[in-house]
Amino acid sequence: MDRLVNTVRPYAWGSTTAIPELLGVRPTGEPQAEMWMGAHPGAPSRVDRGTGPVALSEVIAADPEGELGADAVSLFGPRLPFLLKVLAAASPLSLQVHPDLEQAKEGYADEEERGVPADAPHRNYKDANHKPELICALTPFNGLCGFRDPNEAAELLAALEVDSLKPYVDILHAHPESHALREVLTAVLTADPEAMTETVRQAAAAAERLGALDGPHAPAYAAYASIAQHYPGDPGVIAAMLLNFVTLQPGEALYLGAGVPHAYLDGLGVEIMANSDNVLRCGLTPKHVDVPELLRVVRFESAAPAVLRPEADPSGEELYTTPIGEFRLSRHVLADGAAPRPLPAAGPQILLCASGEVSLRGADGELPLTRGQSAFVPAGEEAVLGGDGTVFRATVTA
């Protein structure tokens, strides 16, 4: 077992207080957006096995099967296949979508063949992997996830009473679902920038007015008005209005598979994802938006957000069920005096203490964890979890 020393990423959208509060440290006044736990080359966690701090990525590279287990290496290669984060959003992240595995392989191979530099701002594919992800709320957490029913989206846009949005309303009413959503998103992202800036201004003013009224869509309108304040004139503000607005309560989660447009708006959560950097942006960003490639990846189908709630097994472990193998996220809610819980030893594990004080016991002794602290348990190493607190457990699917 290894205590992890983790890097906090200072992205501009991050909260200045949420992660410091979790860690029990004084805020610096700067945004602290994500705390990374894992072996991602961009900011690997560090461990100390008696010879000084070493990147977890280096430890794994030196003995992949010993650290990850033969099954994980056979399935996902000689690297930790997931990245665990604490994400603290104070303002909206970019509107984005992730490719499936086949699209990622094709896109990466194409850009490599064309010689697109790895650090080019217009490059879409940093690697050949997909990036499914799951976000679990630690506080009330707001986001956008998947397309609304086109008729509902049309109703929301029509209520804004903005003349330049009326053609989109007509399209959403007149076409089959997939064609309607594709046509409107394409029109929004390729519109004349000057005209779109004025459309966003008018739509934001109307959304602010409607968000202050009593009505079933008031929270969504208030969210769209807030997004526009952060991204004035950005076509992603109108694209966001095509999506479902969702609020997660603590303990609830969203799984985001390939092709699903989404954006996180505000709140603190635990996020887990496949170890990839592949993101195609749809707006709410100054970064490159590749509309043709985006249209190849987006799945133009409406669906209500599938909010996940943890399902407990006989051992007390509460699992967030997802359809992929690269990661498995579960939760242990421990009470003082309860029987310790053995942790399965088949695959690599990262444990994050989200509240209280817990301990891991193994063959080499005991490792205490307080709120915000985390640990890595190599494959095959038996550990027992006890104490009084809430612990998130990340591993691979058995």
PDB file of all heavy atoms in Angstrom, residues 310-319 328 330-332 341 344 393:
ATOM      1  N   PRO A 310     -25.791   4.332  -6.062  1.00  0.00           N
ATOM      2  CA  PRO A 310     -24.984   3.141  -5.759  1.00  0.00           C
ATOM      3  C   PRO A 310     -25.838   1.979  -5.284  1.00  0.00           C
ATOM      4  O   PRO A 310     -26.798   2.164  -4.527  1.00  0.00           O
ATOM      5  CB  PRO A 310     -24.038   3.633  -4.659  1.00  0.00           C
ATOM      6  CG  PRO A 310     -24.764   4.770  -4.010  1.00  0.00           C
ATOM      7  CD  PRO A 310     -25.549   5.430  -5.111  1.00  0.00           C
ATOM      8  N   GLU A 311     -25.472   0.780  -5.735  1.00  0.00           N
ATOM      9  CA  GLU A 311     -26.178  -0.443  -5.357  1.00  0.00           C
ATOM     10  C   GLU A 311     -25.283  -1.256  -4.439  1.00  0.00           C
ATOM     11  O   GLU A 311     -24.153  -1.605  -4.801  1.00  0.00           O
ATOM     12  CB  GLU A 311     -26.535  -1.247  -6.614  1.00  0.00           C
ATOM     13  CG  GLU A 311     -27.403  -0.475  -7.611  1.00  0.00           C
ATOM     14  CD  GLU A 311     -27.621  -1.242  -8.903  1.00  0.00           C
ATOM     15  OE1 GLU A 311     -27.150  -2.402  -8.987  1.00  0.00           O
ATOM     16  OE2 GLU A 311     -28.244  -0.681  -9.824  1.00  0.00           O
ATOM     17  N   ALA A 312     -25.781  -1.564  -3.235  1.00  0.00           N
ATOM     18  CA  ALA A 312     -24.968  -2.249  -2.228  1.00  0.00           C
ATOM     19  C   ALA A 312     -24.992  -3.755  -2.448  1.00  0.00           C
ATOM     20  O   ALA A 312     -26.036  -4.341  -2.777  1.00  0.00           O
ATOM     21  CB  ALA A 312     -25.460  -1.912  -0.832  1.00  0.00           C
ATOM     22  N   ASP A 313     -23.830  -4.401  -2.259  1.00  0.00           N
ATOM     23  CA  ASP A 313     -23.769  -5.860  -2.269  1.00  0.00           C
ATOM     24  C   ASP A 313     -23.725  -6.352  -0.815  1.00  0.00           C
ATOM     25  O   ASP A 313     -23.722  -5.551   0.126  1.00  0.00           O
ATOM     26  CB  ASP A 313     -22.574  -6.347  -3.088  1.00  0.00           C
ATOM     27  CG  ASP A 313     -21.229  -5.997  -2.462  1.00  0.00           C
ATOM     28  OD1 ASP A 313     -21.184  -5.620  -1.271  1.00  0.00           O
ATOM     29  OD2 ASP A 313     -20.210  -6.110  -3.164  1.00  0.00           O
ATOM     30  N   PRO A 314     -23.732  -7.677  -0.584  1.00  0.00           N
ATOM     31  CA  PRO A 314     -23.773  -8.183   0.791  1.00  0.00           C
ATOM     32  C   PRO A 314     -22.614  -7.707   1.675  1.00  0.00           C
ATOM     33  O   PRO A 314     -22.757  -7.642   2.896  1.00  0.00           O
ATOM     34  CB  PRO A 314     -23.740  -9.697   0.599  1.00  0.00           C
ATOM     35  CG  PRO A 314     -24.370  -9.915  -0.740  1.00  0.00           C
ATOM     36  CD  PRO A 314     -23.906  -8.756  -1.565  1.00  0.00           C
ATOM     37  N   SER A 315     -21.481  -7.350   1.066  1.00  0.00           N
ATOM     38  CA  SER A 315     -20.339  -6.901   1.868  1.00  0.00           C
ATOM     39  C   SER A 315     -20.488  -5.462   2.344  1.00  0.00           C
ATOM     40  O   SER A 315     -19.733  -5.000   3.204  1.00  0.00           O
ATOM     41  CB  SER A 315     -19.048  -7.022   1.054  1.00  0.00           C
ATOM     42  OG  SER A 315     -18.991  -6.001   0.063  1.00  0.00           O
ATOM     43  N   GLY A 316     -21.457  -4.745   1.777  1.00  0.00           N
ATOM     44  CA  GLY A 316     -21.630  -3.336   2.099  1.00  0.00           C
ATOM     45  C   GLY A 316     -21.031  -2.394   1.073  1.00  0.00           C
ATOM     46  O   GLY A 316     -21.251  -1.177   1.135  1.00  0.00           O
ATOM     47  N   GLU A 317     -20.266  -2.932   0.120  1.00  0.00           N
ATOM     48  CA  GLU A 317     -19.719  -2.082  -0.931  1.00  0.00           C
ATOM     49  C   GLU A 317     -20.846  -1.614  -1.839  1.00  0.00           C
ATOM     50  O   GLU A 317     -21.707  -2.399  -2.242  1.00  0.00           O
ATOM     51  CB  GLU A 317     -18.678  -2.839  -1.754  1.00  0.00           C
ATOM     52  CG  GLU A 317     -18.030  -1.992  -2.836  1.00  0.00           C
ATOM     53  CD  GLU A 317     -16.976  -2.749  -3.630  1.00  0.00           C
ATOM     54  OE1 GLU A 317     -17.217  -3.926  -3.949  1.00  0.00           O
ATOM     55  OE2 GLU A 317     -15.929  -2.147  -3.923  1.00  0.00           O
ATOM     56  N   GLU A 318     -20.850  -0.310  -2.185  1.00  0.00           N
ATOM     57  CA  GLU A 318     -21.888   0.287  -3.016  1.00  0.00           C
ATOM     58  C   GLU A 318     -21.302   0.612  -4.388  1.00  0.00           C
ATOM     59  O   GLU A 318     -20.410   1.447  -4.512  1.00  0.00           O
ATOM     60  CB  GLU A 318     -22.421   1.559  -2.353  1.00  0.00           C
ATOM     61  CG  GLU A 318     -23.023   1.305  -0.980  1.00  0.00           C
ATOM     62  CD  GLU A 318     -23.464   2.578  -0.282  1.00  0.00           C
ATOM     63  OE1 GLU A 318     -22.945   3.662  -0.637  1.00  0.00           O
ATOM     64  OE2 GLU A 318     -24.317   2.496   0.603  1.00  0.00           O
ATOM     65  N   LEU A 319     -21.819  -0.039  -5.415  1.00  0.00           N
ATOM     66  CA  LEU A 319     -21.232   0.030  -6.758  1.00  0.00           C
ATOM     67  C   LEU A 319     -22.034   0.943  -7.670  1.00  0.00           C
ATOM     68  O   LEU A 319     -23.261   0.908  -7.691  1.00  0.00           O
ATOM     69  CB  LEU A 319     -21.174  -1.368  -7.365  1.00  0.00           C
ATOM     70  CG  LEU A 319     -20.690  -1.478  -8.809  1.00  0.00           C
ATOM     71  CD1 LEU A 319     -19.237  -1.042  -8.937  1.00  0.00           C
ATOM     72  CD2 LEU A 319     -20.877  -2.902  -9.330  1.00  0.00           C
ATOM     73  N   ARG A 328     -13.931   0.801 -12.512  1.00  0.00           N
ATOM     74  CA  ARG A 328     -15.059   0.381 -11.658  1.00  0.00           C
ATOM     75  C   ARG A 328     -15.014   1.271 -10.428  1.00  0.00           C
ATOM     76  O   ARG A 328     -14.017   1.281  -9.705  1.00  0.00           O
ATOM     77  CB  ARG A 328     -14.905  -1.087 -11.263  1.00  0.00           C
ATOM     78  CG  ARG A 328     -15.989  -1.635 -10.326  1.00  0.00           C
ATOM     79  CD  ARG A 328     -15.608  -3.055  -9.920  1.00  0.00           C
ATOM     80  NE  ARG A 328     -16.656  -3.715  -9.146  1.00  0.00           N
ATOM     81  CZ  ARG A 328     -16.835  -3.586  -7.836  1.00  0.00           C
ATOM     82  NH1 ARG A 328     -16.021  -2.773  -7.136  1.00  0.00           N
ATOM     83  NH2 ARG A 328     -17.790  -4.242  -7.214  1.00  0.00           N
ATOM     84  N   SER A 330     -16.727   2.396  -6.793  1.00  0.00           N
ATOM     85  CA  SER A 330     -17.642   2.003  -5.732  1.00  0.00           C
ATOM     86  C   SER A 330     -17.394   2.878  -4.516  1.00  0.00           C
ATOM     87  O   SER A 330     -16.437   3.670  -4.474  1.00  0.00           O
ATOM     88  CB  SER A 330     -17.487   0.525  -5.382  1.00  0.00           C
ATOM     89  OG  SER A 330     -16.160   0.260  -4.939  1.00  0.00           O
ATOM     90  N   ARG A 331     -18.256   2.697  -3.510  1.00  0.00           N
ATOM     91  CA  ARG A 331     -18.189   3.527  -2.319  1.00  0.00           C
ATOM     92  C   ARG A 331     -18.379   2.650  -1.085  1.00  0.00           C
ATOM     93  O   ARG A 331     -19.206   1.738  -1.081  1.00  0.00           O
ATOM     94  CB  ARG A 331     -19.286   4.592  -2.392  1.00  0.00           C
ATOM     95  CG  ARG A 331     -19.273   5.629  -1.287  1.00  0.00           C
ATOM     96  CD  ARG A 331     -20.368   6.661  -1.498  1.00  0.00           C
ATOM     97  NE  ARG A 331     -21.702   6.102  -1.265  1.00  0.00           N
ATOM     98  CZ  ARG A 331     -22.800   6.831  -1.155  1.00  0.00           C
ATOM     99  NH1 ARG A 331     -22.754   8.139  -1.313  1.00  0.00           N
ATOM    100  NH2 ARG A 331     -23.974   6.263  -0.943  1.00  0.00           N
ATOM    101  N   HIS A 332     -17.589   2.914  -0.058  1.00  0.00           N
ATOM    102  CA  HIS A 332     -17.766   2.272   1.236  1.00  0.00           C
ATOM    103  C   HIS A 332     -18.136   3.353   2.252  1.00  0.00           C
ATOM    104  O   HIS A 332     -17.373   4.310   2.444  1.00  0.00           O
ATOM    105  CB  HIS A 332     -16.481   1.577   1.686  1.00  0.00           C
ATOM    106  CG  HIS A 332     -16.164   0.322   0.933  1.00  0.00           C
ATOM    107  ND1 HIS A 332     -16.608  -0.926   1.339  1.00  0.00           N
ATOM    108  CD2 HIS A 332     -15.460   0.123  -0.211  1.00  0.00           C
ATOM    109  CE1 HIS A 332     -16.183  -1.837   0.490  1.00  0.00           C
ATOM    110  NE2 HIS A 332     -15.482  -1.234  -0.459  1.00  0.00           N
ATOM    111  N   ARG A 341     -13.720  -4.301   6.425  1.00  0.00           N
ATOM    112  CA  ARG A 341     -14.125  -4.874   5.144  1.00  0.00           C
ATOM    113  C   ARG A 341     -12.907  -5.250   4.306  1.00  0.00           C
ATOM    114  O   ARG A 341     -12.117  -4.380   3.919  1.00  0.00           O
ATOM    115  CB  ARG A 341     -14.988  -3.875   4.365  1.00  0.00           C
ATOM    116  CG  ARG A 341     -16.286  -3.541   5.069  1.00  0.00           C
ATOM    117  CD  ARG A 341     -17.126  -2.580   4.254  1.00  0.00           C
ATOM    118  NE  ARG A 341     -18.323  -2.183   4.965  1.00  0.00           N
ATOM    119  CZ  ARG A 341     -19.204  -1.297   4.536  1.00  0.00           C
ATOM    120  NH1 ARG A 341     -19.005  -0.702   3.348  1.00  0.00           N
ATOM    121  NH2 ARG A 341     -20.264  -0.986   5.252  1.00  0.00           N
ATOM    122  N   PRO A 344     -11.171  -6.853  -2.329  1.00  0.00           N
ATOM    123  CA  PRO A 344     -10.664  -7.824  -3.305  1.00  0.00           C
ATOM    124  C   PRO A 344      -9.313  -7.388  -3.852  1.00  0.00           C
ATOM    125  O   PRO A 344      -9.057  -6.197  -4.052  1.00  0.00           O
ATOM    126  CB  PRO A 344     -11.732  -7.809  -4.395  1.00  0.00           C
ATOM    127  CG  PRO A 344     -12.977  -7.347  -3.699  1.00  0.00           C
ATOM    128  CD  PRO A 344     -12.516  -6.368  -2.663  1.00  0.00           C
ATOM    129  N   ARG A 393     -13.635   3.766  -3.954  1.00  0.00           N
ATOM    130  CA  ARG A 393     -12.683   2.743  -4.403  1.00  0.00           C
ATOM    131  C   ARG A 393     -12.717   2.663  -5.924  1.00  0.00           C
ATOM    132  O   ARG A 393     -13.762   2.388  -6.524  1.00  0.00           O
ATOM    133  CB  ARG A 393     -13.038   1.387  -3.794  1.00  0.00           C
ATOM    134  CG  ARG A 393     -12.203   0.216  -4.303  1.00  0.00           C
ATOM    135  CD  ARG A 393     -12.571  -1.066  -3.568  1.00  0.00           C
ATOM    136  NE  ARG A 393     -11.840  -2.199  -4.115  1.00  0.00           N
ATOM    137  CZ  ARG A 393     -12.388  -3.146  -4.907  1.00  0.00           C
ATOM    138  NH1 ARG A 393     -13.678  -3.091  -5.225  1.00  0.00           N
ATOM    139  NH2 ARG A 393     -11.663  -4.133  -5.374  1.00  0.00           N
TER     140      ARG A 393
END
